[in-house]
Amino acid sequence: HPQFKSQYLKLSRDIVIYLPPSYSHSSKKYPVLYVQDGQNIFDRSTAFGGTEWKLDEHTEHLIHTHKINEVIIVGIYNTSQRIDEYTWHSMVLDGEQMGGAGAQYARFLVEELKPFIDKTYRTYADRDHTAIMGSSLGGLISFYLGLHYSPYFSKLGLVSPSLWWADKKALDEVDTLRNDFSLWIDI
């Protein structure tokens, strides 16, 4: 979905979708994984530094070896506003005030993108079948979504989250995280 528009964000962004192997010949519904920095997850030609996550290949391997159920993956491209959108506290970085628009990004994801995905694709829209993940600042905003939008997500994947941002203020909120999440965190 090229140049997906939002009333909450300054810039449009591309959205890429991975559909599981049975999607085209099935009528069943699927859980959904939302992934920040979507340009990095499937395609080397769009990935930062030319290194993709190979999330589609890894997912298919896990599906075919019966380690996970089939899942729809929604890759959300970042924009030049990445630092602002992926942080909810501002800070001075390299002599410039940056960040702090994470609440607007979260509203885009929960109020605009998720309803669009649930309407367009055969998804289980409930919390128990919806996950979110990201790395670095993408992991940080995924943590924010888990903190502040827990009715929508039950699984969080935080890959090297930038918990250092704004003097580690995110850690001040960790006690407010619901205790009924499945959480993957690695650093």
Side-chain angles (χ1 to χ4, degrees):
H1 301 278
Q3 295 303 294
F4 192 91
K5 294 184 186 330
S6 169
Q7 68 178 340
Y8 300 112
L9 303 174
K10 295 176 185 175
L11 301 175
S12 299
R13 70 222 45 241
D14 291 347
I15 307 296
V16 291
I17 310 293
Y18 162 86
L19 297 174
S22 72
Y23 191 89
S24 64
H25 58 275
S26 168
S27 61
K28 69 181 184 176
K29 293 182 176 184
Y30 299 86
V32 181
L33 169 62
Y34 292 88
V35 185
Q36 317 315 321
D37 296 314
Q39 72 280 356
N40 295 331
I41 64 176
F42 300 135
D43 186 349
R44 183 174 54 154
S45 70
T46 60
F48 178 76
T51 304
E52 67 166 296
W53 291 15
K54 297 184 179 183
L55 196 52
D56 46 348
E57 290 96 333
H58 294 303
T59 299
E60 296 231 346
H61 172 74
L62 293 170
I63 291 168
H64 291 304
T65 57
H66 306 287
K67 294 184 177 164
I68 66 169
N69 293 324
E70 289 184 305
V71 61
I72 293 171
I73 301 173
V74 178
I76 309 160
Y77 275 42
N78 67 40
T79 70
S80 61
Q81 301 291 304
R82 181 179 187 268
I83 291 176
D84 290 334
E85 293 176 354
Y86 285 8
T87 60
W88 63 101
H89 297 291
S90 64
M91 67 175 269
V92 175
L93 184 64
D94 298 328
E96 184 180 340
Q97 192 74 27
M98 302 177 122
Q104 290 90 339
Y105 179 83
R107 288 189 72 187
F108 148 73
L109 201 151
V110 170
E111 295 177 25
E112 295 174 327
L113 182 60
K114 185 178 181 328
F116 170 79
I117 295 298
D118 291 336
K119 180 181 171 192
T120 306
Y121 298 95
R122 294 188 314 274
T123 69
Y124 288 111
D126 63 295
R127 175 183 191 268
D128 289 340
H129 293 92
T130 309
I132 190 156
M133 73 172 289
S135 72
S136 189
L137 289 175
L140 187 65
I141 194 63
S142 296
F143 179 65
Y144 176 88
L145 282 148
L147 286 170
H148 298 280
Y149 288 89
S150 58
Y152 298 92
F153 305 101
S154 66
K155 297 162 190 66
L156 301 175
L158 312 176
V159 180
S160 293
S162 296
L163 297 173
W164 56 267
W165 183 265
D167 295 322
K168 303 178 187 175
K169 284 186 181 174
L171 296 177
D172 294 341
E173 299 180 58
V174 77
D175 289 341
T176 66
L177 189 64
R178 286 171 56 158
N179 64 3
D180 61 349
F181 276 104
S182 294
L183 178 65
W184 171 271
I185 185 168
D186 65 44
I187 297 176

